[in-house]
Each structure stands twice: as structure tokens, then as C-alpha cells.
Amino acid sequence: MKITPASIAFNQQGTPVATEFDDVYFSNQDGLAESHFVFFQHNGLPQRWQSPSSLPFVIAETGFGTGLNFLQTWQQFVESGQQAQALHFISVEKFPLTRADLAQALASWPTLQGFAAQLIQQYPAAIAGCHRLEFEQGKVFLDLHFGDVDDIFSDMACPPDGLVDAFYLDGFAPSKNPQMWSDSLFSHMARLGKPGSTFATFTAAGFVRRGLQAAGYSVDKVPGFGTKREMLCGRLENKPLTQSDSCWQRYQAKPASKQVTIIGAGLAGANLAHALAKRGIEINLFSQAEGAADGASGNLQGGFYPQLHVAPSHSSLIQALAFTYAKRTYACLLNDGYAFDGEFCGVLQVGFNPEQQARIQSLAERASWPQDLVHWVDVDTCSELAGIAMPYPALFIREGGWLNPPSLIDALLQKASSLSPLTCHYQHRLQHVERLPQGWLLTFDNGVQHQCETLVFATGAESINLPLLNALPLRPVRGQVEHLPSQGQLSKLRSVVCHKGYLTPAWQGRHAMGSTYTKGDMARDVRGAESDYNLSTLQTALADCDWVGEVHGDGQARASVRCTTPDHQPIMGAMPDVAAQQQQFQTLNQRKAEDIALAPSTLPGMYVLTGLGSRGLCTAPLMAEALVCQMYGEPLPLGQTLLNALNPNRFLLRELKKSAAN
Ligand SMILES: Cc1cc2nc3c(=O)[nH]c(=O)nc-3n(C[C@H](O)[C@H](O)[C@H](O)COP(=O)(O)OP(=O)(O)OC[C@H]3O[C@@H](n4cnc5c(N)ncnc54)[C@H](O)[C@@H]3O)c2cc1C
Ligand SMILES: C[S@@+](CC[C@H](N)C(=O)[O-])C[C@H]1O[C@@H](n2cnc3c(N)ncnc32)[C@H](O)[C@@H]1O
């Protein structure tokens, strides 16, 4: 879905007005006071923040608009001095303001300036789906979903007991925006609300009151703000008996334990440790080598960019959302003083042959992606951005660049250990896993045994050696990257260039030039034939560059193994119990997976994050965050449709469906 920005004007009082809806974003009288009165007070806040809970307090809003309600709530949360609980604010916006309009609209609130500046800084590009922003050192989360509220709420995963504590039912007046105030919205509120969850809204429209009552809410009509006579607020008294999550496992019946064991110290393992530590979870991380970043994540320079299709397919939406999330995560690490090597110097995807030129041309013409994510540049601009002659049109991903995964992993682990107890056990190769009545017993090659309730595999391509992960159709793919000495014109390269392979600006006197793609090969020796292949791929693809013929290597390279999947998507979630599911889903061929309301059997307390393929720098942070939310019953930063595309169960369900049909 393409996201259309809001069309707004500012009236004489300086209040933003949506021209299409002919309605104000907030009261002309005093928008801030109205927000506090209607939404905050009438949801029983801040009093409801007094009871400590390990789960975040979740507010869901219809219509983010200028973010005034969010900023006001965030400010109150900080002033409440609440320490024990996090605030998780979910908001949906169909027509996002541009960053410039947002800044102008928020300039009216001097008391909120500190908060507004942080929001404006992190405000995401207009990509459909969920953008998770974090503030107050992870105490305040904003999930800003771009899309229609009906689509977003219906696609929102929800634990059996509900997700939301309080709803801010905003949106333009029902008379000006009747499409939004639908029975479908009210029934989604009842599905997503926890028993006893509350709502408040500025309107007193009769059909809104009746719709909410029919959905299970008790509704009170109370005096409205300022000159408004009445408004509505209420409580979810009759939570509908919703079926579980369908046969896609999104949440477990009970949250994971407060101690977690991770196997693997690559990008997946380090991002998991970071996401768990932010929640105060105690971590034991085991890995086989002498230190972290020994596997695929040990490359000197990796390109950081999303793999986008011309149209926003599920896979490219995952890439785009993961990329922007990763960028915010990396910026936050740097901000917090955790340094790593790399440069956000932009990535050029060059149209080096007619087929690629047609692809980038049509991606630009379809304009499915916002310009601040990716934009088309002509031949001259391409050379200017590259810093050397690059006579091709290209797509430019301005926020991308290259990163040094080992130092990034180090920064993630350092930050994790500053937030929560983290013990890294290196030189421990996992050999055997035994199921216990209460968890798992791990045996390592050095004889050490370790018992745990919650176990996450982040074992990259070597996952194929672990019998418990046999059910996953993982495919190892060897790759060799050259470390070219910086030389001649090449030394002036200042953006990452992607053609059939990729080439990075120099770091420590060398450029990364990659890479080969040898399926099924797990060997990690450096091969002269692959160096020749990498060089000739560069010289053939970029044959129009006058400098390319003189490029030469000196045999320095690194080889490692990617972990890929048949559908090229990562694998993230609870580990399926194959034998049990073969019994459970015998009738799958007659029904859609979505129609079977039966939680699939998974191995208790066992999770997996792998299959990051060739884009781990882009996808690992969001995959880790989503997995941790799933483990602890928190709101998920991805909708169900995209979660299904990542679910470890997807292969098994497809197989069961196919075999039942035959
Ligand atoms: C040649 C090449 C070029 C690439 N270029 C890019 C790029 O430009 N941009 C990009 O984003 N991505 C790139 N990638 C992909 C990226 O490197 C991977 O997606 C990422 O590193 C995967 O991280 P991971 O943590 O899943 O796996 P790994 O980094 O392989 O980590 C797996 C970890 O598990 C441990 N482990 C495995 N089995 C056991 C066991 N039994 N016991 C104990 N420990 C175990 C390993 O020791 C290791 O620490 C490239 C990959 C290759 C191979
Ligand atoms: C009155 S404004 C919200 C003001 C906002 N809460 C604030 O604090 O600034 C209403 C918002 O709802 C959005 N909206 C309207 N219909 C929608 C829909 N169907 N789905 C999602 N958002 C919608 C509008 O684009 C607008 O931004």
C-alpha cells in the first residue's frame, strides 16, 4: 500500500487543518489541555500507572496526526516518575504529516519542545507498516503504524488476554470521517483490549456509543472539553471470546522466563542480547569460537541497505521496515556512546545493464517507496555521489552505507551488558540438547553442561548441524569477499556501489568487493578462482568506468557461509514441534491456515532466529526485537501478515498442505 501524506493548512489561530477532511487536528481553544482532559484523564491516567507491572502499559490511538496526544502522554509519564513499567504507545495514521508540517504544527507547544524535537528527529519515512521508535532509554516506545486503522488493527497480533490497556479514540469528527468510525473498528478494539481496558473519545455521536456498546464496552456520556457539551468514555466489560491466534504461532500461552540462553555470537545473537537486555532479561550467550563475530558476521565491511522490489511485496516491506529500524538502532548505539566502524555514506544501485536500468526506472516511476528511502539519480549525479566516474543512472539509498559487523556486534554486546547481566561463554560448541521436564539441558564439546528454561538458536548456517533444527529447510551458501588494496582512482570511492556484486569505500586502506555465492558449500578457505570471479564480475558489470580495468587484488579475502531459506526470508519465532503438528493439522488442505484456530505445538521455551541470508545488517535488529516481543507478550513491531512470512512454521504448514492435497 502506498502511503499518501496529509494535505494540511494552518488556520488563523495557527491550528493545523486537514484540507481533505475540512477538520482541525486539535481544538482551536487549547489543544494540549483538550488532549489531557479527553484522552488522558478519561482513561484514568496517571493513576493507573501506580501499580507496577513487568508488562508495558499499552495505549492504542486512532489517528496520530501531529503526535500531540503522544507527546502529552509521554511528558505525563516522565513526570509521574514511573520506574517499574514501560509506556508503549501504539498509534495508526493513514495520512502522515510530512516532517516539515509536523515540526511547524508542534512549534505551538513550548512545554513539549524537548519531546517534540526527539520525535521529529526519529520521525520515519512514509512506508506502510509499523515503525517502532524508542525514547527515554527504552522506557517509552512508540509504534507508529502507517495505514488505515481498520487494516492495521485487523492485522495486529494479540495475545489471548488482549494487548491494550487504554484506547485514545481520536480521528476527525464522525460526520467528517464516517468511514473510520465503523463497527469493524469497535470490534477490533474489543479483540485487542484487555478485559477492563478503557477508551475515551471527544465525540458523543450516538452511533459511536451504540457501536462500542455492541462490541462489549460500557459507555458513559460525560461533560466534554471547553464548549463541547459531551464526550464518551468507558470500559471493556465483556471481552469477546476470541479464538486463539490461528495456526500461526505469534504469542506463547505464557511469557518466557527472565533468564535466556542464546547460542551464537553473530549479528543475530548480539541483536537478541541487546533486545533482551533492554528488558532487563539475564542472558547467557554461548558460542564456539574464541570470540564473537566468527561466522558470516566476521566480514570487514558489509553493505547496509534494503533489498527493494519495484512494488512493495511482503519481502521488500520487511526489508524497508527492518532497514529504517536498524538505522535507528545504530544511531541510538552511537548516541549512547557505543562506537563501531562504518559510514552512512549512501548506497548506489547502478543500472549497469539494460535490464537493471529498466528495473530502477520502473521502481522510480511506480514511486511505491518514499523519496527519502530511495530515489533515482542520473548519470552525472551518480558519479558525483560515488566520487569517481560511474556513468550509469542509479537508485540512491541515502541512509545506507557500509558497516564493520565485528565492531557493531561488540558495541551491541557492550550496551547489552550495561543494561542487564550478560555472560558470554566462548569456546563452547553446542553438541547435544536434551529435553527436561522444565526446560533444556545443553552439553558442549568441552564437557560443560548448562540447564535453561528458554533457549534461542542464533546459529547461522551451522544450524544445519543441530538435529533439533532439522525441520527448518536451511540452505548454506558460501561467499568470498575480496579485500582490495586502495589504489588509483578507486581510492576516491565514497559511496557503496551495488552492481551484480558490491564495492565499498576504503576502510583501513582496503575496499570490500564481493561476493561469490556457492550453494551447499560450507568450506571457509580463500580461493584464487573466487578472487578472479569477483574481479571479473566487477570489471564486466562496470565496464563503462574508465578506472575499472586497472583494479587489481592481492589475494587478501575472507570466506564464510550465509544461512539462506527457500523463500529468501529470515526465520524468526518459536520452534515448531514437527511430530505434534503433523497430527494437529491433518485437515489443513481443506481450510486456510488463518481459519484454523488452534495454537500449533512448539517446543516449549525454544526459539530460533536465523536465515538472515545476505542482508543481516539490515534485518537482524528488527527480527531480534520482534522475537523478544513475541517471547514476552509485548506489542509486536510487525503485523500478522509479515510475521507469517517470517514464522519458522511456514515451511511445515506448506508441506502439510501439499502432502494432504496429494
Ligand atoms: C560473503 C558474504 C558477504 C555478505 N555481505 C553482506 C552485506 O554486504 N550486507 C549484509 O547485510 N549482510 C551480508 N552478508 C550476510 C551477513 O553476514 C549475515 O546475514 C549475518 O552475518 C548472519 O548473522 P548470524 O548471526 O545469523 O550468523 P553468523 O554470523 O554466522 O553467526 C552464527 C554464530 O553461531 C555460532 N554457532 C553456530 N553453531 C554453533 C554451535 N553448535 N555451538 C556454538 N556456537 C555455534 C557461530 O560460532 C557464530 O558465532 C554477507 C555474508 C557473506 C557470507
Ligand atoms: C484529529 S486528527 C488526530 C490528532 C492527533 N491525535 C494529534 O494528537 O495530533 C485525526 C487523524 O486521524 C487520521 N485518520 C483519519 N482517518 C483515518 C483512518 N481511517 N485510519 C488511520 N488514520 C486516520 C487523520 O489523517 C488525522 O491525522
Side-chain angles (χ1 to χ4, degrees):
M1 177 194 172
K2 192 174 166 193
I3 297 297
T4 315
S7 149
I8 74 165
F10 289 85
N11 67 15
Q12 283 180 340
Q13 288 91 337
T15 308
V17 181
T19 45
E20 311 256 308
F21 289 93
D22 183 29
D23 202 359
V24 285
Y25 278 77
F26 41 75
S27 157
N28 277 323
Q29 241 179 322
D30 184 346
L32 185 54
E34 180 188 37
S35 164
H36 188 268
F37 177 84
V38 174
F39 299 108
F40 193 73
Q41 274 179 242
H42 283 88
N43 269 302
L45 297 171
Q47 296 78 3
R48 287 170 72 197
W49 287 336
Q50 298 314 318
S51 42
S53 159
S54 60
L55 281 174
F57 188 89
V58 181
I59 296 175
E61 176 186 50
T62 58
F64 185 72
T66 67
L68 178 61
N69 288 337
F70 166 62
L71 295 175
Q72 184 268 130
T73 306
W74 173 11
Q75 182 188 42
Q76 294 295 327
F77 184 76
V78 170
E79 285 179 5
S80 75
Q82 167 61 252
Q83 292 296 325
Q85 197 178 15
L87 171 67
H88 201 120
F89 197 99
I90 298 170
S91 190
V92 185
E93 180 52 61
K94 189 172 183 179
F95 306 105
L97 267 67
T98 61
R99 188 188 295 250
D101 285 340
L102 185 76
Q104 187 176 347
L106 292 176
S108 313
W109 313 114
T111 55
L112 293 177
Q113 279 321 291
F115 301 97
Q118 295 179 62
L119 171 65
I120 294 162
Q121 196 199 2
Q122 289 203 42
Y123 193 64
I127 302 164
C130 177
H131 302 266
R132 174 162 295 181
L133 317 186
E134 287 173 32
F135 306 98
E136 304 294 336
Q137 301 293 331
K139 279 305 239 182
V140 175
F141 290 87
L142 169 64
D143 279 357
L144 183 47
H145 294 256
F146 289 152
D148 186 284
V149 68
D150 203 46
D151 298 336
I152 301 285
F153 275 10
S154 65
D155 197 38
M156 195 170 281
C158 182
D161 296 341
L163 186 73
V164 176
D165 295 286
F167 286 94
Y168 288 9
L169 194 46
D170 204 349
F172 297 120
S175 57
K176 308 227 171 178
N177 188 18
Q179 171 265 342
M180 193 197 86
W181 302 82
S182 64
D183 286 345
S184 167
L185 169 65
F186 306 140
S187 61
H188 288 312
M189 286 170 58
R191 179 180 76 88
L192 295 171
K194 292 179 185 164
S197 58
T198 59
F199 82 90
T201 180
F202 62 90
T203 183
F207 79 92
V208 173
R209 177 173 46 82
R210 290 187 295 275
L212 284 161
Q213 282 168 334
Y217 283 88
S218 63
V219 182
D220 293 325
K221 217 188 248 186
V222 294
F225 176 75
T227 54
K228 287 188 188 153
R229 216 154 46 91
E230 288 165 330
M231 58 165 276
L232 303 177
C233 58
R235 214 179 112 85
L236 184 56
E237 303 290 356
N238 301 309
K239 177 145 177 80
L241 274 178
T242 40
Q243 301 284 6
S244 81
D245 234 358
S246 89
C247 72
W248 294 106
Q249 181 79 44
R250 290 158 193 141
Y251 286 108
Q252 300 288 340
K254 73 177 180 63
S257 57
K258 295 289 181 197
Q259 286 93 23
V260 171
T261 298
I262 300 171
I263 312 292
L267 285 167
N271 276 288
L272 277 166
H274 178 239
L276 288 162
K278 283 193 294 182
R279 276 110 179 147
I281 306 297
E282 193 179 327
I283 304 149
N284 274 292
L285 184 146
F286 290 88
S287 197
Q288 62 194 352
E290 281 175 7
D294 54 308
S297 311
N299 286 342
L300 294 186
Q301 291 177 290
F304 171 56
Y305 59 95
Q307 203 73 52
L308 301 175
H309 295 152
V310 170
S313 59
H314 289 166
S315 74
S316 49
L317 271 175
I318 291 170
Q319 289 273 321
L321 294 167
F323 172 71
T324 53
Y325 181 80
K327 185 68 194 284
R328 287 191 294 276
T329 304
Y330 301 153
C332 178
L333 269 179
L334 292 172
N335 241 349
D336 290 348
Y338 297 95
F340 53 88
D341 292 304
E343 266 182 291
F344 296 111
C345 52
V347 173
L348 286 161
Q349 296 190 323
V350 297
F352 61 96
N353 64 19
E355 194 193 324
Q356 285 306 314
Q357 281 179 15
R359 185 187 87 85
I360 65 171
Q361 189 72 32
S362 72
L363 190 142
E365 281 167 9
R366 284 277 288 269
S368 305
W369 303 104
Q371 292 269 319
D372 35 4
L373 176 67
V374 58
H375 68 275
W376 185 87
V377 294
D378 63 17
V379 173
D380 292 340
T381 314
C382 184
S383 294
E384 203 178 298
L385 289 166
I388 52 176
M390 192 62 65
Y392 305 99
L395 293 174
F396 188 55
I397 300 167
R398 201 185 49 207
E399 298 276 317
W402 68 267
L403 298 170
N404 167 245
S407 62
L408 175 62
I409 286 171
D410 194 42
L412 286 163
L413 293 177
Q414 270 189 44
K415 180 163 174 193
S417 67
S418 76
L419 298 171
S420 197
L422 162 66
T423 313
C424 294
H425 311 258
Y426 295 118
Q427 294 179 297
H428 282 66
R429 178 175 172 78
L430 181 65
Q431 278 193 321
H432 184 69
V433 183
E434 187 186 327
R435 189 164 171 175
L436 302 174
Q438 282 299 318
W440 302 94
L441 178 67
L442 313 183
T443 307
F444 296 90
D445 59 349
N446 52 11
V448 170
Q449 292 202 311
H450 170 82
Q451 201 172 318
C452 60
E453 206 176 304
T454 308
L455 174 62
V456 193
F457 289 105
T459 34
E462 288 195 62
S463 304
I464 65 160
N465 297 324
L466 294 163
L468 272 169
L469 304 188
N470 272 348
L472 305 174
L474 302 174
R475 298 176 175 177
V477 179
R478 172 193 151 92
Q480 180 170 311
V481 196
E482 310 308 311
H483 303 155
L484 290 182
S486 202
Q487 52 191 279
Q489 289 195 60
L490 177 60
S491 60
K492 299 201 199 107
L493 180 66
R494 58 164 190 250
S495 293
V496 175
V497 173
C498 299
H499 47 94
K500 208 175 159 200
Y502 64 88
L503 185 61
T504 63
W507 176 61
Q508 298 185 336
R510 293 196 173 260
H511 305 257
M513 178 183 69
S515 50
T516 55
Y517 200 87
T518 318
K519 292 180 185 168
D521 189 344
M522 303 265 305
R524 293 171 55 172
D525 55 317
V526 170
R527 298 172 186 167
E530 293 194 21
S531 298
D532 294 345
Y533 172 86
N534 278 330
L535 188 58
S536 76
T537 302
L538 175 86
Q539 292 179 329
T540 310
L542 301 187
D544 296 338
C545 298
D546 54 7
W547 49 269
V548 84
E550 70 192 32
V551 173
H552 58 272
D554 60 2
Q556 289 221 25
R558 180 177 192 272
S560 55
V561 188
R562 308 167 182 89
C563 183
T564 73
T565 62
D567 57 13
H568 309 291
Q569 300 308 311
I571 289 179
M572 179 276 288
M575 188 60 205
D577 182 337
V578 179
Q581 288 200 33
Q582 277 162 344
Q583 297 288 320
Q584 270 184 301
F585 297 121
Q586 280 168 348
T587 60
L588 199 60
N589 67 322
Q590 289 130 36
R591 300 157 72 185
K592 286 197 294 186
E594 282 65 21
D595 295 339
I596 298 190
L598 191 61
S601 291
T602 52
L603 294 172
M606 184 179 287
Y607 301 85
V608 59
L609 171 53
T610 189
L612 300 180
S614 301
R615 294 271 66 81
L617 285 168
C618 170
T619 51
L622 183 60
M623 295 305 109
E625 174 73 8
L627 179 54
V628 170
C629 292
Q630 213 171 331
M631 290 164 70
Y632 293 96
E634 295 180 16
L636 281 157
L638 286 163
Q640 295 181 149
T641 310
L642 299 186
L643 285 169
N644 295 351
L646 299 162
N647 198 309
N649 227 19
R650 66 191 188 266
F651 308 105
L652 178 59
L653 291 179
R654 280 176 205 153
E655 268 313 301
L656 289 171
K657 209 165 179 167
K658 223 191 302 168
S659 59
N662 290 330

